[in-house]
Amino acid sequence: MTEPAERLPSPFVTGLACRCPRCGEGALFSGFLKPVKQCESCGADLAFAEGTEGPAVFIILIVGFVIVGAAATVEGLFHPPPFVHLLLWLPATVILSLALMRPLKATMIALQYHNQAGEGRSNNG
């Protein structure tokens, strides 16, 4: 008989909480975006997450959708001058991007861990 697979917490819950994808307890980051090499709680090896920069595309799409929609709504309702748009949407873009960066990066790391994703491999020998 084979052993049952290890029961892992949800990658979305651990990702949004910025916790270890294996145990859900240990912190995932040692800095703002620097992942830890090993979980302090369960000892899981998280060195694979060092070069994960994929969430940038999702952040661009999400922030772009929100900001363009909000700017179009404000323009349609109030017709403010262009400098008001700059004062509203430039800081909003930066703040929203920074707010999404950690949880989306952590979610991507958790999904990679759960799906055992790694560097591309070729079966040609």
Side-chain angles (χ1 to χ4, degrees), residues 4-110:
E6 180 182 9
R7 189 91 171 137
L8 300 172
S10 166
F12 298 103
V13 172
T14 57
L16 294 175
C18 298
R19 295 290 175 198
C20 170
R22 184 165 131 196
C23 67
E25 298 295 324
L28 187 58
F29 296 110
S30 62
F32 182 65
L33 288 176
K34 183 169 176 50
V36 296
K37 301 264 188 236
Q38 189 174 24
C39 176
E40 62 202 25
S41 292
C42 67
D45 181 24
L46 301 171
F48 71 90
E50 194 65 33
T52 306
E53 299 304 329
V57 174
F58 298 110
I59 292 170
I60 291 168
L61 292 171
I62 293 167
V63 171
F65 179 78
V66 169
I67 296 298
V68 168
T73 302
V74 168
E75 179 62 33
L77 293 174
F78 305 110
H79 304 293
F83 78 90
V84 172
H85 280 294
L86 288 173
L87 290 174
L88 288 174
W89 309 122
L90 286 177
T93 301
V94 171
I95 291 167
L96 190 55
S97 296
L98 290 174
L100 290 174
M101 225 176 271
R102 276 177 64 104
L104 287 181
K105 183 169 182 169
T107 301
M108 182 170 249
I109 291 169

Side-chain angles (χ1 to χ4, degrees), residues 47-52 112 116-122:
F48 71 90
E50 194 65 33
T52 306
Q112 286 176 335
Q116 300 172 349
E119 297 272 337
R121 294 177 204 86
S122 175

